[in-house]
Amino acid sequence: MARQRSMKKIEPAVLTMQFNLTNSGDNSYSQDTVYLSQCASALNRRFYRQGLNWAVAGFSVLTTSTGNVTIQKIPDSWSATNAWTKSMNAWITQQNENVEESGAESAVARFRDFKVYADDIHALSTVANNLAPVDIAGNAVLSGEWEYSQIVIPNFGAPGINYEPYLHMVGDDIGGVGGSKGLIKGYENSRAFPQSPDPVSPPLGSSENWLRSMFDVGDNSDLVVQNATDKNDNLPYDQDNYPGGDTNMPYLQVVDESYITASTIGGKTNMRGSTFPCGLIRIRNQSNDLSGWAATPKLLVHLVPGTHRGYMAQPMQEM
């Protein structure tokens, strides 16, 4: 009798997280960041690394006021994934080499993890402004230590000067003490160009080009060859600047946007889900009222059950 394969057990985990969005008090935009790994760690009392691509089933915005809400995330692109992977490998290699050299292997932090900000807005707001899950009475969950990663750049600008910036995924660098380096921008600057502006090809008018001569039956041959060789001989994307870097679309990717009106049924607006690299979610909200939202909007994040310690999530390296 064939043995029945058993499914991997799904661990219990909190699948709906509630947050209070920021109310600006006027009709300007407020921008909040939800860090799923941090929230899941606090709610479930178990450690979730940042390096996960989280599946989110959807969002619900609860408010009886009018305005708009936008959900954003780190781009779903190979350049974003490779930028994170290459930077993570450089970070862990730098630390491991120096820890081994100093003989401090046994002192490495138990929950050491590669943690980066979503963008420059997130980096400037710091970890203290990440939204925390709340209960029905508005009490925020108590969190533990959650510190972002830093790298060390030796001889920065001058011999003997060490620079220790933080890291963020999307956008330009932030200079100065406590600054931050853009991962996609850094990845862009670490790679060779795909090709020179035009591929090198043999002279088409050469007498050695007998294949061309075979069909030279009229005056149109040069035009045909020109169309075949001059059109689409360059890259179909910008060679120098990667999307999500400092100049080419330097903002987080939009997932969904909803305009909340007086006719919204039950004061509940549902928004589509997606996968969220690093578990980082940006929520941008704006009230139509000059004095802000009449009541602070609530956000429900609906997660997907799965085999990664109760959630559907995959390592960033497997994106």
Side-chain angles (χ1 to χ4, degrees):
M1 180 178 179
R3 294 179 60 184
Q4 185 176 1
R5 297 181 62 184
S6 60
M7 292 181 61
K8 186 176 180 180
K9 179 182 177 181
I10 296 179
E11 299 181 48
V14 176
L15 293 176
T16 299
M17 300 180 185
Q18 177 174 289
F19 302 88
N20 289 329
L21 298 181
T22 298
N23 189 343
S24 66
D26 52 32
N27 67 336
S28 63
Y29 279 106
S30 293
Q31 302 198 79
D32 296 308
T33 304
V34 168
Y35 206 147
L36 290 178
S37 294
Q38 181 186 23
C39 297
S41 297
L43 289 170
N44 296 298
R45 293 186 61 83
R46 64 170 77 107
F47 174 47
Y48 291 85
R49 295 189 179 278
Q50 188 204 55
L52 296 172
N53 186 28
W54 287 73
V56 176
F59 302 88
S60 300
V61 179
L62 308 178
T63 182
T64 55
S65 302
T66 62
N68 63 81
V69 175
T70 303
I71 304 292
Q72 295 174 274
K73 66 175 184 176
I74 294 169
D76 288 318
S77 64
W78 69 266
S79 52
T81 303
N82 288 1
W84 184 92
T85 302
K86 186 171 185 177
S87 301
M88 187 273 292
N89 288 336
W91 169 81
I92 195 69
T93 298
Q94 183 182 63
Q95 290 199 359
N96 286 347
E97 287 179 350
N98 286 271
V99 166
E100 182 179 355
E101 183 178 336
S102 62
E105 291 91 342
S106 62
V108 171
R110 179 181 177 185
F111 300 107
R112 180 176 60 155
D113 185 34
F114 186 60
K115 297 184 179 75
V116 302
Y117 293 100
D119 58 1
D120 54 348
I121 295 172
H122 190 202
L124 291 170
S125 67
T126 74
V127 66
N129 292 306
N130 288 348
L131 289 186
V134 299
D135 61 17
I136 192 67
N139 301 305
V141 66
L142 299 179
S143 299
E145 184 179 50
W146 196 266
E147 295 191 272
Y148 288 88
S149 301
Q150 291 174 276
I151 58 172
V152 177
I153 304 175
N155 303 315
F156 187 76
I161 301 298
N162 293 325
Y163 183 47
E164 194 177 9
Y166 292 92
L167 302 166
H168 60 273
M169 284 295 302
V170 175
D172 203 355
D173 297 340
I174 303 171
V177 178
S180 184
K181 291 291 186 181
L183 265 62
I184 294 178
K185 177 183 178 181
Y187 180 66
E188 165 194 311
N189 291 334
S190 73
R191 303 189 75 232
F193 291 148
Q195 64 177 46
S196 60
D198 287 317
V200 178
S201 58
L204 292 176
S206 169
S207 59
E208 299 297 323
N209 190 1
W210 56 269
L211 287 173
R212 177 181 182 274
S213 301
M214 285 176 59
F215 298 95
D216 192 8
V217 294
D219 294 334
N220 65 334
S221 179
D222 289 342
L223 291 175
V224 173
V225 173
Q226 182 179 354
N227 282 335
T229 59
D230 287 355
K231 295 182 184 297
N232 300 305
D233 64 342
N234 283 320
L235 297 169
Y237 49 86
D238 188 273
Q239 174 170 277
D240 301 333
N241 302 293
Y242 289 28
D246 58 332
T247 57
N248 186 5
M249 301 184 72
Y251 298 100
L252 297 173
Q253 177 181 318
V254 173
V255 174
D256 198 5
E257 184 170 9
S258 183
Y259 292 88
I260 302 168
T261 67
S263 63
T264 300
I265 299 174
K268 181 177 182 179
T269 301
N270 293 318
M271 304 180 72
R272 67 181 289 266
S274 185
T275 55
F276 287 81
C278 294
L280 289 167
I281 305 171
R282 169 64 45 75
I283 308 97
R284 181 176 175 178
N285 77 79
Q286 181 185 34
S287 171
N288 287 341
D289 196 320
L290 292 176
S291 58
W293 299 94
T296 300
K298 299 182 184 299
L299 175 75
L300 300 180
V301 180
H302 307 291
L303 300 171
V304 182
T307 56
H308 185 87
R309 314 193 78 184
Y311 297 104
M312 181 179 288
Q314 65 177 164
M316 284 288 293
Q317 297 93 324
E318 297 179 7
M319 280 185 64

